[in-house]
Amino acid sequence: MAGRLDGKVAVVTGGGSGIGRAAAALFAAEGAAIAVLDLVSDAAQETVDLIAADGGQALALTADIADGDEVRMAFDRVSTELGPVGVLYNNAGVNSSGSILTSTEEDWDRCMAVNVKGTYLCSAAAARSMTERGGGSIVNQGSVAALVGVANFAAYCASKGAVVALTRSMAVDLATSGIRVNVICPGTVYTPLMRPMLTARGGGDEEKGLAMTIAKYPIGRLGTPEDIARVALFLASDESAFMTGSVVTPDGGMTAQ
Ligand SMILES: NC(=O)c1ccc[n+]([C@@H]2O[C@H](COP(=O)([O-])OP(=O)(O)OC[C@H]3O[C@@H](n4cnc5c(N)ncnc54)[C@H](O)[C@@H]3O)[C@@H](O)[C@H]2O)c1
């Protein structure tokens, strides 16, 4: 059976954990050759090993997406070893903690550097490669935190709001090059990234924080990495050919209230 990404080269940033790992595995199962890019080499390699065990093709890349030289070197390797990029999932991201009164300047700078500058750097590198093959699809990772205020998440909310604005700007600029750009704004997904936030929300008790968070979701559960990976697959594939600049919100109804 034909895969939905057959013959395409897909880069998944933050592919060593959580949503990125689920997306890398799903994209590979749908026929793409995957570059798994992560700050943590062992994590990227583990995802590559999982894909290879399922008969897929994948390459592990170690880079900090906030570092322009590292990003350019990583994308050069993708072009050389796998071919021009057809799909980029800008998934890597970091959390922040605190309101503007309680967070630190360092926390703000790192959150902006990874979530916003990292998205810009990877998108620029991918867009250059995509033009060689006549277009492609960039899927950005926002968050419900871009759409509603989330307590004690000031830098994170601001960074994800910037990713939504950057998505629209890139969609307009790149449309004539055949490059579509959309953004996913997931609700809470139970991954290593969110566990410290859940524990803090529960006053040190993760189970309590989890229950308090689920209470905000009309659908009665948190998301899974696979819930979000399936949305990313749709946006990455030609099935979403008429969509660009869209904000897609898999959030169990959280922002519908
Ligand atoms: N989990 C959620 O509830 C949730 C909700 C909305 C949005 N998101 C977003 O989804 C994305 C993935 O989140 P997750 O929950 O799967 O997180 P995760 O922590 O499980 O995975 C993130 C991965 O990104 C990598 N990474 C972090 N900084 C990096 C950098 N500078 N360069 C390269 N790789 C880096 C990490 O090493 C890790 O492997 C993030 O952008 C996050 O903001 C998550």
Side-chain angles (χ1 to χ4, degrees):
M1 207 172 77
R4 293 153 78 188
L5 297 180
D6 270 349
K8 291 189 175 153
V9 172
V11 179
V12 179
T13 70
S17 176
I19 299 167
R21 174 169 286 175
L26 183 60
F27 290 8
E30 291 289 343
I34 311 291
V36 179
L37 187 156
D38 206 287
L39 190 59
V40 182
S41 333
D42 289 352
Q45 189 57 51
E46 264 177 40
T47 302
V48 165
D49 292 345
L50 287 171
I51 291 170
D54 265 354
Q57 185 190 2
L59 168 72
L61 298 168
T62 310
D64 179 350
I65 59 162
D67 182 310
D69 289 338
E70 290 188 21
V71 167
R72 280 183 285 276
M73 275 192 292
F75 277 80
D76 283 350
R77 269 194 71 196
V78 177
S79 291
T80 310
E81 296 187 35
L82 298 178
V85 177
V87 171
L88 167 64
Y89 187 14
N90 271 318
N91 161 78
V94 291
N95 265 351
S96 67
S97 69
S99 70
I100 61 159
L101 296 176
T102 58
S103 58
T104 63
E105 188 176 339
E106 190 186 23
D107 193 36
W108 173 275
D109 285 345
R110 185 64 186 158
C111 199
M112 289 295 168
V114 176
N115 297 359
V116 187
K117 186 180 171 192
T119 299
Y120 146 68
L121 288 171
C122 292
S123 299
R128 287 189 188 102
S129 182
M130 284 172 180
T131 50
E132 275 177 45
R133 61 180 291 287
S137 173
I138 297 176
V139 182
N140 290 333
Q141 193 76 300
S143 165
V144 288
L147 310 175
V148 296
V150 179
N152 293 312
F153 248 25
Y156 185 78
C157 289
S159 73
K160 293 299 188 178
V163 169
V164 170
L166 180 61
T167 299
R168 293 193 174 112
S169 163
M170 292 199 295
V172 170
D173 287 338
L174 301 177
T176 53
S177 305
I179 300 170
R180 300 184 297 107
V181 191
N182 295 288
V183 60
I184 305 176
C185 287
T188 309
V189 178
Y190 189 76
T191 65
L193 184 81
M194 292 315 287
R195 293 187 63 183
M197 187 278 265
L198 296 171
T199 305
R201 186 172 283 164
D205 179 344
E206 187 182 320
E207 283 303 312
K208 188 174 165 204
L210 191 59
M212 287 166 70
T213 306
I214 289 172
K216 294 175 189 284
Y217 284 81
I219 232 166
R221 68 170 176 90
L222 300 189
T224 65
E226 290 72 23
D227 284 328
I228 312 307
R230 284 189 286 270
V231 177
L233 171 63
F234 168 68
L235 293 174
S237 76
D238 295 340
E239 289 165 16
S240 56
F242 195 51
M243 290 176 72
T244 196
S246 296
V247 181
V248 182
T249 313
D251 70 349
M254 194 267 215
T255 56
Q257 301 168 95

